[in-house]
Amino acid sequence: MLEVTKKHARSADGTELYYECWRSDGHTTAPTLLFVHGLGGDIDGWQYVRDIVGAHGIPAVAFDMRGHGYSDHPKKASAYAVERMVEDIQTVMQAENLQRPTLVGHSGGAVVSAAFASKYSEPLSGLVLIAGSYCPPTYMQYPLLPTIANGVIGIGGIISPPPLKRWHSPYPPGKFHKEVEI
């Protein structure tokens, strides 16, 4: 029987992160899996994996990255730097006292997971990267475009309109999923 425990942890910059611990009554020596979803997703992106992992008795933790799901959504563009998201992984690991988990990242979560592994390779037992990118898009090489993009993100964070369409399942109250914030 899979037990899901819902928790929160506060990152170094004060952002509250929502995460879940998935445990079952199976006994395994496998390391805990730590799941990092992609940009535009949330913890629900791992719902089918959660059931498979639980059926095999493998302990796992998954969290909503900042600006996604039930985690806080800071208004400053600088809060979404890869370094802040790397720190968020460290925050969840410390909150759960995870010793050498296997980090599993998808899409943008793969980029953040790779950045984490390059900074903190020692505390990981493994790294799984799914459909990630190895560099920013080529159009970002022009100095003016990142400045414009950060300005648009900053304005969008202030305006914060409701989503134009749902990407995944319906979202309950309190679950942040706004396209402009992403």
Side-chain angles (χ1 to χ4, degrees):
M1 178 78 173
L2 181 66
E3 176 186 333
V4 177
T5 307
K6 300 174 181 186
K7 298 184 176 188
H8 292 87
R10 193 159 301 276
S11 68
D13 70 354
T15 302
E16 186 172 277
L17 303 170
Y18 171 81
Y19 69 98
E20 294 179 357
C21 297
W22 308 331
R23 311 261 189 248
S24 63
D25 44 6
H27 300 287
T28 181
T29 58
T32 300
L33 300 176
L34 177 55
F35 291 100
V36 185
H37 64 76
L39 299 179
D42 60 27
I43 213 168
D44 289 342
W46 302 110
Q47 64 185 325
Y48 301 110
V49 174
R50 177 188 62 211
D51 296 339
I52 293 168
V53 166
H56 287 83
I58 299 170
V61 176
F63 73 101
D64 281 334
M65 292 187 355
R66 54 182 58 221
H68 296 76
Y70 290 117
S71 289
D72 281 351
H73 54 122
K75 299 295 184 190
K76 293 183 179 179
S78 61
Y80 296 94
V82 171
E83 294 79 15
R84 298 296 78 72
M85 295 182 184
V86 165
E87 291 169 0
D88 292 346
I89 293 173
Q90 184 71 22
T91 297
V92 172
M93 284 178 59
Q94 289 174 347
E96 285 303 308
N97 194 27
L98 297 180
Q99 304 299 314
R100 299 188 47 78
T102 294
L103 193 56
V104 181
H106 171 253
S107 190
V111 173
V112 174
S113 296
F116 178 90
S118 70
K119 183 174 181 179
Y120 300 106
S121 61
E122 183 58 32
L124 297 178
S125 65
L127 177 64
V128 178
L129 304 176
I130 305 166
S133 174
Y134 61 91
C135 66
T138 56
Y139 59 80
M140 294 302 277
Q141 69 186 344
Y142 303 103
L144 187 57
L145 289 176
T147 303
I148 293 170
N150 283 333
V152 169
I153 290 170
I155 291 169
I158 293 168
I159 298 171
S160 194
L164 301 174
K165 62 182 177 182
R166 295 173 192 250
W167 289 15
H168 299 289
S169 56
Y171 290 92
K175 191 169 195 181
F176 304 118
H177 191 81
K178 296 181 179 181
E179 291 174 345
V180 171
E181 291 172 354
I182 293 166

